Amino acid sequence: MSVIEVRGLKKSFGNFEVLRGIDLAVETGERIVIIGGSGCGKSVFLRSLELLEIPNAGQIFVDGEELTAPDVNIDKIRRKLGMVWQKFNLFTHMNVMENLTVAPIKLLGMSKDDAHEKAMNLLAQVGLTSKADAYPEFLSGGQQQRIAICRSLMMNPKVILFDEPTSALDPTMVGEVLAVIRMLAKQDLTMIIVTHEMNFAREVATRILFFADGEIYEQGTPAEIFDAPKRPKTIAFIHKQKYFSYEISERHFDLPAMQGGIQTFAEKYGLSARRTNRLQLCCEELIYEMIEHACTGENVVDISLDVTYAEVDNSVAIAFTCAGKPYNPLDKDFDAEVDEENLGTMILHNLSKNYSHEYSGGVNKINFSLT
């Protein structure tokens, strides 16, 4: 039996549908990390698991009990879920020990001595026993978040939910919180984590969920998602891809406008002047090669240029389509002496790598990377 099971979960805010029918089963000991762009529904999904956001449709089961059933004891089921928030949410009028022990004493009936002993054991695990009597205002953000994690563990939850646990922290404090979560992962605790820390996600997760378009767009092991993503939006997100596109519909197109667009795109993402010049030169030569040899109309042409810049490895790729006759601009013998007729293709040859050409359905498709 799954420790958490979600069936057809939907959530809308007005006319905006954030979750469009999420199905998920979480097994005991799994460490599921949810990634995706801002506004894709990651945090809404996590909050829905505790009914902090009320779904418009769907069912949620926790340890076999339906949280979304009518007349259910919601608070009783919620106790099986620990929640670690972005902003810590410690009680400011209580010291650390009181923050840790108040809930297990009042809700679980734990004795004060047992709660104190357990709290000290957890504080020892996160290196904060000296802060037992301190108040939150005297703790750093990283220390407060470590205390918040301990507070969740005090309730012996079946699953711990982490909603971007490092997003409110100074970069210098992120590492200390991630180290605690890594420690918990080694204890085979069941966790669902929303995070933007990709290296951490790769290290700690047993399964990655990529959210997009209000759904689990793609999922798999860390190796499958980070090293071999299959779907376009996952690929773009993982490789941090940025795009420039340009359409050409006539032979006498506006070359300065295209080159200006490439220049703006390159400057925005920090491409060097040398690479920018190479990119502009490559695109120009490729377009004129195809207009001269592949296009059949007197004036009207059908050409699409797509430039992709991947921040993750600083690579630039060009995808080019041109309707017309089959023509491969690099299908030439470059051992011959260069003349004006093949100067453009020689430039393309020298500036491109991983080159491919395909002709199907009356369209030339060319893909290559910039050297």
Side-chain angles (χ1 to χ4, degrees):
M1 181 179 64
S2 302
V3 67
I4 288 182
E5 185 176 357
V6 179
R7 302 175 187 171
L9 189 68
K10 295 183 179 182
K11 176 62 183 178
S12 298
F13 295 99
N15 294 325
F16 179 53
E17 193 174 23
V18 181
L19 303 177
R20 300 178 179 177
I22 303 290
D23 294 309
L24 178 67
V26 181
E27 305 303 323
T28 300
E30 273 200 291
R31 299 182 299 278
I32 291 179
V33 173
I34 301 175
I35 62 174
S38 298
C40 68
K42 304 184 300 295
S43 292
V44 172
F45 173 71
L46 213 63
R47 290 173 58 84
S48 296
L49 293 182
E50 283 202 325
L51 294 192
L52 298 174
E53 298 288 353
I54 305 301
N56 298 97
Q59 296 172 290
I60 300 168
F61 296 85
V62 178
D63 201 27
E65 297 183 83
E66 186 181 352
L67 185 61
T68 46
D71 302 322
V72 71
N73 188 334
I74 293 175
D75 289 335
K76 181 181 177 182
I77 299 177
R78 275 180 178 160
R79 291 171 198 167
K80 298 180 180 182
L81 301 174
M83 188 78 170
V84 178
W85 310 87
Q86 298 177 22
K87 297 289 183 70
F88 328 133
N89 288 354
L90 298 178
F91 296 117
T92 57
H93 65 288
M94 296 182 180
N95 64 25
V96 166
M97 182 56 65
E98 291 167 337
N99 264 282
L100 295 182
T101 58
V102 61
I105 290 174
K106 289 189 175 183
L107 300 178
L108 300 183
M110 190 180 295
S111 71
K112 186 174 181 179
D113 288 343
D114 287 345
H116 187 278
E117 181 180 0
K118 181 170 184 174
M120 289 303 293
N121 288 334
L122 289 173
L123 289 173
Q125 290 185 49
V126 300
L128 291 175
T129 53
S130 64
K131 303 296 183 180
D133 297 322
Y135 283 82
E137 64 181 305
F138 299 107
L139 302 176
S140 69
Q143 289 171 335
Q144 289 188 62
Q145 194 62 296
R146 282 186 277 167
I147 298 300
I149 293 172
C150 290
R151 180 179 59 183
S152 291
L153 292 171
M154 287 291 297
M155 298 296 288
N156 299 317
K158 294 282 186 177
V159 183
I160 305 180
L161 312 177
F162 293 88
D163 185 14
E164 298 191 32
T166 61
S167 64
L169 299 178
D170 184 280
T172 59
M173 300 174 187
V174 170
E176 63 190 69
V177 173
L178 297 184
V180 170
I181 301 175
R182 288 190 188 95
M183 176 192 69
L184 298 179
K186 292 177 182 178
Q187 300 175 15
D188 291 328
L189 292 174
T190 309
M191 297 186 284
I192 303 178
I193 307 167
V194 171
T195 185
H196 289 291
E197 302 285 343
M198 295 298 104
N199 289 333
F200 165 72
R202 178 192 285 269
E203 292 172 3
V204 78
T206 55
R207 183 162 36 135
I208 303 285
L209 308 182
F210 176 66
F211 270 43
D213 300 331
E215 64 180 9
I216 300 175
Y217 182 82
E218 187 171 349
Q219 63 178 302
T221 66
E224 289 170 338
I225 296 299
F226 288 110
D227 299 332
K230 294 180 175 61
R231 302 191 66 188
K233 290 185 180 181
T234 317
I235 294 170
F237 180 83
I238 295 300
H239 295 291
K240 299 182 179 179
Q241 293 177 343
K242 312 298 180 183
Y243 301 97
F244 169 80
S245 298
Y246 196 81
E247 303 288 331
I248 298 173
S249 58
E250 57 185 32
R251 288 176 178 269
H252 303 292
F253 69 100
D254 192 343
L255 176 63
M258 184 196 77
Q259 298 292 42
I262 292 175
Q263 180 76 35
T264 300
F265 172 80
E267 289 176 353
K268 181 177 180 179
Y269 297 112
L271 273 67
S272 67
R274 183 171 181 237
R275 293 188 82 194
T276 302
N277 179 259
R278 286 185 167 193
L279 177 58
Q280 290 173 316
L281 185 58
C282 230
C283 292
E284 181 177 338
E285 295 298 337
L286 178 60
I287 290 168
Y288 281 120
E289 272 289 314
M290 300 306 288
I291 285 178
E292 181 177 353
H293 296 283
C295 297
T296 55
E298 289 186 7
N299 186 42
V300 176
V301 299
D302 184 4
I303 293 174
S304 294
L305 172 70
D306 293 289
V307 178
T308 303
Y309 171 64
E311 291 182 359
V312 69
D313 59 4
N314 198 35
S315 64
V316 177
I318 297 172
F320 183 87
T321 64
C322 176
K325 298 182 296 186
Y327 178 72
N328 182 356
L330 293 193
D331 187 19
K332 293 184 179 182
D333 181 7
F334 293 107
D335 291 332
E337 184 177 348
V338 178
D339 55 32
E340 289 187 6
E341 184 178 346
N342 63 15
L343 179 60
T345 54
M346 178 60 79
I347 291 172
L348 286 170
H349 180 270
N350 290 338
L351 297 183
S352 65
K353 60 181 180 179
N354 304 322
Y355 181 89
S356 69
H357 172 269
E358 176 189 350
Y359 184 76
S360 63
V363 177
N364 293 278
K365 298 178 182 178
I366 297 171
N367 293 277
F368 60 91
S369 300
L370 197 65
T371 58

